[in-house]
Structure formats: C-alpha cells, structure tokens
C-alpha cells in the first residue's frame, strides 16, 4: 500500500503568494516528499476556479517527474472529455517517459458545467465518454498510432467514478477503481466479472480526507478557514450553470460541527486505526492525502508530509 500526496495548486486570494513562487515551492515539496520516500505524487484538474486550481495536471506531472526519482506520478483525476483522445495519449506517454515509467493515469467524468462550456464540449454522457476515451487511448498505444509510446505496457489506468454505473464500467474496462466504498466496490467487481476477468485483478485507491499533525486540535484551528474555502468552491461549482439549487455556504469557524465532518486532523496512530478499518478486505494499492488544504501554512504542510512518510507509512506496512 503506497502513501501519496495530492496537489491541486490552489492559491486563494486571502493567502495568495506570487504564482511563480507558488509553483516553485510546490515542486520543492514534491522533491522533498520523494526524498523522504513518498509512494506517489498526484495531480488533479479543474478549470475556471478563482483560486487557480490546477488546470493542466499532466503538464505539472511532467515537471514533477523530472525533479523526482522514485515516487509514482499520478493524476487524480484528469478529465478526458476535455481533450481529444490522441492528445491525452501523447501527453500521458510523455509523462511516462520523463518519469522512467512511473505514471498512474487516473481519469474522471468531470461535473462542472462551466468547464465543459470553456472547451465547447457537451456536458451530457460524461461517464460514458470517459470510458470511450480510455478505450481509444489504449488503442492508439497498442496500434502505435501515436509516437513515442509510453515506457510502461500497460500504463496503469484508474477510474475515479462515484456511482454504480461508473464503478461497473471501470471494472469492465480493466481499470483500477479510484474510490474506497464497499457498496461501489461490489459494482466494480461485477464489471470485472462481466468482462470475463478474474476478480483477483481488482485494485483500489482513493483520496483520504485526513491531515496529520502532532497536535490535531491546534492544527485544526489553523486549517479550518482553508477547508471552508476549499469546500465552498466545490459547492459553488456543483450548482454553477447546472440549474441545481445552491448549497449553503460553510462557516469557516473552527467550532463548526459541519466543517469537522469533512476532514479529520489526526495523529499518525489515530489515522492508522481509522485507515485499517476503512480498507479492511479491500485490495488497496494507493492511499492519497491532500498535500495542502487550499493554501494552508507551509509548516503544517511540511509536518503532515513528515508524519505521513516517517510515522504513518510504517504503521500501515
């Protein structure tokens, strides 16, 4: 089970640093995490977020791949519907080559209407089109239509889907399932069986909503405003342009019970106990943690990374 960090490169206005410095500092974090033995560095995608949420995860993944030696380099997730399959196949191949064969390609359907509008792409059939893109990318590689080819054959591909249809499709297409959910795992296994594959090929990964700290309560007070910003932007994006009713805004007050339900700030021992219960009986290959919650202070980011690699990883081995 590999421990990984997920980077979204948010740089909210209330804590903003110069963008070039922010990107440079994030690459330094990637290098340091790799030196400390982190199992994966993952990058995620959104567009038209005011805080600059990373729009091109494979571009940043290539930069991280060039600065590191050991960690797997992943996307959690890239949205294939916003790219031509050939573009995705070529870009992923370049990252795999730069990394020396360390790419983990996580894909998702996307959900924000403004993102699809930006690329003049229909918002409908998102999950189906994501599956079609995976099949086409594999064909482009297997038939040598695009060059150069990735170093890995095959490149591990992960499906980040949260509903039964997506879970089943991930199984049918032989993807790993990028979501830890026992009910959805059953749909994922059903898809594997429908495709005539052995259920022993099942593999699972997910983002774990935990930040590690020596003093969780003290860290929580400092993280809470950043978490409120993060979750409020997701809430806004869920309804924006969709006709859905707006979700209520979260109070950034650290005393908010609603906010506490969205993230656990724990010691490594507490986190290990929580994770063992969450993953028991599931074929988990990657556990992914936020590297930072929407621009939270660097000292908390560094200590979180240290505790992940030095204390949590040994407890889970």
């Amino acid at each position: 089970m590999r421990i990984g960090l997920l980077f979204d490169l948010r740089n909210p206005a209330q804590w903003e640093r110069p963008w070039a410095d922010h990107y440079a500092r994030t690459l330094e974090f990637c290098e340091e995490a790799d030196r400390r033995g982190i199992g994966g560095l993952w990058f995620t995608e959104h567009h038209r977020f005011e805080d600059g949420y990373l729009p091109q995860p494979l571009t940043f993944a290539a930069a991280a791949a060039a600065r590191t030696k050991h960690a797997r380099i992943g996307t959690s997730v890239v949205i294939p519907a916003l790219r031509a399959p050939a573009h995705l196949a070529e870009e992923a191949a370049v990252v795999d080559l730069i990394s020396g064969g360390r790419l983990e390609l996580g894909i998702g359907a996307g959900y924000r209407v403004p993102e699809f509008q930006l690329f003049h792409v229909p918002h409908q059939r998102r999950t189906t089109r994501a599956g079609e893109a995976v099949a086409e990318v594999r064909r482009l590689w297997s038939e040598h239509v695009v060059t150069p080819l990735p170093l890995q054959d095959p490149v591990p591909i992960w499906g980040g889907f949260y509903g039964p249809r997506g879970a089943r499709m991930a199984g049918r297409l032989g993807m790993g399932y990028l979501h830890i959910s026992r009910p959805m795992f059953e749909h994922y296994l059903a898809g594997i069986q429908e495709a005539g594959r052995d259920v022993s090929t099942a593999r699972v990964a997910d983002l774990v909503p935990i930040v590690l700290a020596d003093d969780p309560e003290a860290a929580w007070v400092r993280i809470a405003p950043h978490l409120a910003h993060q979750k409020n932007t997701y809430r806004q994006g869920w309804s924006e342009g969709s006709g859905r009713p707006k979700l209520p805004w979260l109070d950034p007050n650290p005393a908010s019970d609603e906010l506490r339900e969205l993230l656990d700030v724990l010691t490594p021992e507490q986190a290990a106990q929580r994770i063992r219960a969450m993953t028991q009986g599931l074929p988990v290959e990657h556990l992914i943690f936020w590297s930072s919650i929407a621009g939270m202070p660097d000292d908390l980011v560094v200590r979180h990374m240290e505790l992940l690699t030095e204390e949590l990883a040994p407890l889970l081995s």
Side-chain angles (χ1 to χ4, degrees):
M1 190 185 303
R2 293 176 182 265
I3 300 292
L5 287 170
L6 178 64
F7 297 83
D8 62 11
L9 279 293
R10 289 174 181 266
N11 192 16
Q14 57 269 50
W15 304 291
E16 186 173 334
R17 68 182 77 188
W19 274 103
D21 294 349
H22 181 53
Y23 270 51
R25 181 62 171 141
T26 301
L27 286 171
E28 290 173 356
F29 282 141
C30 291
E31 285 186 283
E32 178 65 11
D34 186 59
R35 187 185 70 78
R36 290 180 173 276
I38 202 73
L41 300 167
W42 299 75
F43 306 93
T44 184
E45 173 180 3
H46 269 304
H47 302 268
R48 299 180 66 180
F49 268 57
E50 290 184 4
D51 61 13
Y53 198 121
L54 181 62
Q56 296 296 333
L58 283 166
T59 302
F60 204 92
R67 300 271 289 264
T68 58
K69 296 179 180 179
H70 307 292
R72 301 295 293 178
I73 304 293
T75 57
S76 178
V77 292
V78 66
I79 305 172
L82 305 183
R83 297 161 178 77
H87 185 173
L88 179 58
E90 290 177 341
E91 197 172 12
V94 168
V95 175
D96 197 51
L97 289 165
I98 291 172
S99 68
R102 290 183 279 140
L103 178 64
E104 304 275 340
L105 183 61
I107 64 101
Y111 68 94
R112 288 185 69 237
V113 172
E115 296 179 329
F116 286 79
Q117 292 173 337
L118 177 65
F119 290 92
H120 306 287
V121 173
H123 188 249
Q124 295 74 25
R125 298 182 63 249
R126 298 180 304 281
T127 301
T128 299
R129 285 163 50 220
E132 292 169 348
V134 168
E136 178 64 2
V137 165
R138 285 174 168 162
R139 185 191 71 81
L140 294 169
W141 286 338
S142 66
E143 297 181 7
H144 296 198
V145 177
V146 297
T147 59
L149 297 174
L151 190 60
Q152 296 179 98
D153 183 17
V155 171
I157 300 180
W158 297 84
F161 307 110
Y162 294 95
R165 188 162 61 93
R168 209 175 194 102
M169 184 183 74
R172 284 198 308 270
L173 292 176
M175 292 189 275
Y177 189 43
L178 200 52
H179 183 37
I180 294 176
S181 163
R182 295 184 191 279
M184 292 303 104
F185 184 69
E186 295 305 315
H187 292 283
Y188 173 59
L189 289 181
I192 291 175
Q193 292 171 319
E194 287 172 10
R197 296 187 179 91
D198 194 304
V199 294
S200 66
T201 62
R203 51 201 171 91
V204 174
D206 203 0
L207 174 64
V208 181
I210 292 174
V211 169
L212 299 185
D214 297 297
D215 184 341
E217 283 304 312
W220 167 253
V221 170
R222 301 174 66 197
I223 293 170
H226 299 266
L227 179 64
H229 169 87
Q230 181 198 64
K231 297 303 181 183
N232 283 332
T233 60
Y234 283 137
R235 289 183 171 213
Q236 178 182 352
W238 183 82
S239 61
E240 191 176 10
S242 68
R244 302 186 190 105
K246 291 184 178 180
L247 296 173
W249 218 242
L250 290 168
D251 183 351
N253 188 333
S256 167
D257 291 335
E258 187 177 11
L259 202 58
R260 278 190 179 271
E261 292 175 359
L262 302 174
L263 179 77
D264 289 313
V265 182
L266 304 173
T267 66
E269 293 77 13
Q270 292 169 334
Q273 184 177 3
R274 182 79 53 86
I275 289 166
R276 288 191 198 102
M278 180 178 67
T279 62
Q280 186 176 9
L282 296 175
V284 177
E285 290 189 6
H286 297 275
L287 289 174
I288 307 167
F289 298 79
W290 286 112
S291 57
S292 172
I293 305 294
M296 73 187 197
D298 280 357
D299 64 303
L300 295 178
V301 175
V302 171
R303 189 55 181 152
H304 172 54
M305 177 176 63
E306 292 172 347
L307 292 172
L308 283 171
T309 54
E310 296 173 8
E311 299 193 24
L312 181 62
L315 290 172
L316 296 176
S317 62

